[in-house]
Amino acid sequence: MNLLILHASPKKRGGASRFVSGLFRLFMPGASAKTAALRGRQDFERALVYMADADAVCLSFPLYVDGLPSHVVEFLTLAEEYCQTHSRRFRLYAIANNGFIEGRQNRAALQMLEAWCVRAGAVWGGGIGIGGGAMLRILGIVYPILIALTLLQMAASLFTQGAVPPDLSCSLVFQAAGWLFFNAGVLFAMGRLSRAVRKGRAMPDHYTRVLIPAFLFVPIADLFMILSSLFHGRLLFTLLRRDGQPFDKERR
């Protein structure tokens, strides 16, 4: 079984969709799998070439206005023509993520892909809708850093004192357990999806989320967006916008 994983975030670096596709790849050890970016038109030709040998395709993408990103829609139009011209029939799976906390926000996007399969002659294998996709990536960055720092402290203590303090061991266990807890729903959904792909079967669409309470998720997400804007040098530009338009003295 040849698997093609396409991460369709338009971002050149980072992005929750890239992180999610990499996480899913870990659930497919030993499988003949290729991973490719689908950021824009420059990637269409290569993706179609990879698709020619694929028995299953897994599309990982961010939710855009409760639907598919525009470049994904354009690619699917070409893929439909390609499938019908070359009589290609593969099984399509999908992983949609959004910035909202509710995973079911992705329902319409997954239904669009299911409808595309009917039109293109492909087989819909089912999908996952993940709420809090950006938070999933943040946790995937923060917790490995914390765990790495704890391991360094444990190594330093072992080297200097000949023993590891119990509090460091407990800290490591709590950090690993915390990451597993917050991502338990996503990891379970990934397991279901990987099993369906391996067996060549369809699965019902499954919706999950990062297990952070909504009253904590919202302020953390807002803080992340502020820091992200500041990091990219866009914080001042964002603050000086009115009704979606840049602030302009001549328009006051």
Side-chain angles (χ1 to χ4, degrees):
M1 189 269 294
N2 294 322
L3 171 65
L4 172 61
I5 303 174
L6 295 174
H7 55 85
S9 172
K11 297 179 180 179
K12 293 182 179 180
R13 293 179 297 178
S17 298
R18 179 190 293 268
F19 176 81
V20 169
S21 62
L23 183 62
F24 177 66
R25 181 65 182 86
L26 296 177
F27 278 81
M28 301 295 297
S32 178
K34 293 181 180 178
T35 302
L38 189 66
R39 295 187 300 266
R41 294 176 179 175
Q42 70 277 5
D43 299 319
F44 287 0
E45 183 176 354
R46 181 177 59 175
L48 288 174
V49 171
Y50 287 162
M51 189 178 290
D53 298 324
D55 301 308
V57 177
C58 182
L59 179 65
S60 175
F61 65 93
L63 191 71
Y64 271 56
V65 198
D66 285 349
L68 304 175
S70 60
H71 70 286
V72 173
V73 175
E74 186 176 359
F75 172 74
L76 290 176
T77 302
L78 296 177
E80 176 188 341
E81 180 180 351
Y82 179 85
C83 290
Q84 293 176 349
T85 302
H86 296 82
S87 300
R88 287 287 296 123
R89 186 176 176 84
F90 56 83
R91 194 176 296 274
L92 178 65
Y93 301 88
I95 307 175
N97 74 90
N98 66 77
F100 305 102
I101 191 63
E102 302 87 359
R104 291 188 178 276
Q105 195 78 24
N106 299 286
R107 180 191 294 273
L110 295 181
Q111 290 176 339
M112 292 176 188
L113 289 175
E114 183 176 4
W116 178 85
C117 287
V118 174
R119 181 180 177 89
V123 179
W124 175 239
I128 301 173
I130 301 175
M135 190 62 65
L136 176 67
R137 178 170 173 261
I138 294 172
L139 294 174
I141 295 174
V142 172
Y143 270 93
I145 292 176
L146 294 176
I147 291 174
L149 291 175
T150 302
L151 289 174
L152 287 175
Q153 288 180 302
M154 294 173 67
S157 297
L158 185 62
F159 179 76
T160 58
Q161 303 175 11
V164 177
D167 59 331
L168 287 179
S169 299
C170 291
S171 177
L172 182 63
V173 171
F174 281 125
Q175 288 166 0
W179 186 86
L180 289 173
F181 171 76
F182 289 128
N183 296 282
V186 175
L187 296 176
F188 175 75
M190 290 281 184
R192 290 187 61 186
L193 180 63
S194 64
R195 183 180 180 183
V197 173
R198 287 183 179 279
K199 294 183 175 295
R201 298 176 180 175
M203 58 167 270
D205 295 343
H206 184 79
Y207 303 98
T208 185
R209 50 172 282 192
V210 177
L211 299 181
I212 295 179
F215 72 91
L216 291 176
F217 176 86
V218 174
I220 293 175
D222 289 343
L223 178 61
F224 170 75
M225 293 303 298
I226 292 174
L227 294 176
S228 178
S229 298
L230 180 62
F231 178 78
H232 290 289
R234 299 171 183 168
L235 180 61
L236 183 62
F237 175 78
T238 303
L239 293 176
L240 295 180
R241 292 173 70 91
R242 289 185 174 180
D243 299 326
Q245 297 296 327
F247 178 80
D248 190 340
K249 291 183 179 179
E250 295 180 359
R251 297 176 57 194
R252 289 187 296 178

